[in-house]
Amino acid sequence: MRRHTDVPKDAMERIGLGVASRNGDGLAPKLTLAAEARYGLAGDILAAIEPHTEADPVAVLVNELIACGNAAGRGPHVKVGDDRHGLNLNGVLVGESSKARKGMSWNHAKNLMQDIEQSWVEDRVVGGLSSGEGLINAVRDRVTSEN
């Protein structure tokens, strides 16, 4: 289902997403990745996966970058002025249930990480979050004793 959007026409292009089609009727455009978003190792991995999946390439790339950044930890970073920018990323995939291939896009990143760092997948990947309370429970500090 397409939704109305008030996003300026060039806003998505400024963040690396190009417009493949726009009907002029106010509906959200079908987006494609700009060439700059397909750069480097992440782009090469996406190019290898893309012919073999129905998942959206944006979702595959987002999952790939988030998984690799999380597995790398807080050590690797880039300094921009006095600011430290780590590899930690957050993302949200939104789409129709059972039709948007959100899980399919994650499975490619998870399988890649299984081959690279099996313990990360076993220890850090959590599934089955069905509510805000479930999310809070999954990321809470471990309770070691009751006071």
Side-chain angles (χ1 to χ4, degrees):
M1 170 175 30
R2 297 177 75 192
R3 302 210 191 294
H4 288 277
T5 180
D6 59 356
V7 175
K9 186 175 182 177
D10 68 335
M12 299 309 253
E13 293 167 359
R14 288 190 309 240
I15 62 169
L17 297 171
V19 176
S21 67
R22 183 183 289 271
N23 297 343
D25 57 6
L27 296 177
K30 180 180 185 319
L31 301 173
T32 58
L33 280 171
E36 295 84 355
R38 297 174 176 274
Y39 179 78
L41 179 60
D44 293 344
I45 293 169
L46 177 62
I49 292 171
E50 203 169 2
H52 307 286
T53 186
E54 294 177 13
D56 188 288
V58 174
V60 172
L61 183 61
V62 165
N63 280 315
E64 177 187 327
L65 293 173
I66 289 172
C68 290
N70 184 276
R74 301 287 295 177
H77 65 279
V78 173
K79 293 283 283 184
V80 179
D82 287 336
D83 295 335
R84 183 184 185 282
H85 295 269
L87 302 180
N88 51 316
L89 299 171
N90 297 292
V92 176
L93 301 179
V94 179
E96 283 188 70
S97 293
S98 77
K99 294 181 181 176
R101 305 295 182 247
K102 299 177 299 290
M104 186 179 285
S105 70
W106 164 242
N107 288 337
H108 291 291
K110 185 172 84 174
N111 291 340
L112 174 67
M113 294 307 295
Q114 184 77 26
D115 291 340
I116 296 171
E117 187 66 43
Q118 184 175 353
S119 63
W120 178 84
V121 175
E122 293 169 355
D123 299 338
R124 303 298 301 158
V125 175
V126 182
L129 301 177
S130 60
S131 66
E133 290 83 3
L135 175 60
I136 290 167
N137 186 57
V139 299
R140 76 189 188 290
D141 290 333
R142 185 179 310 256
V143 176
T144 56
S145 66
E146 292 186 35
N147 292 333

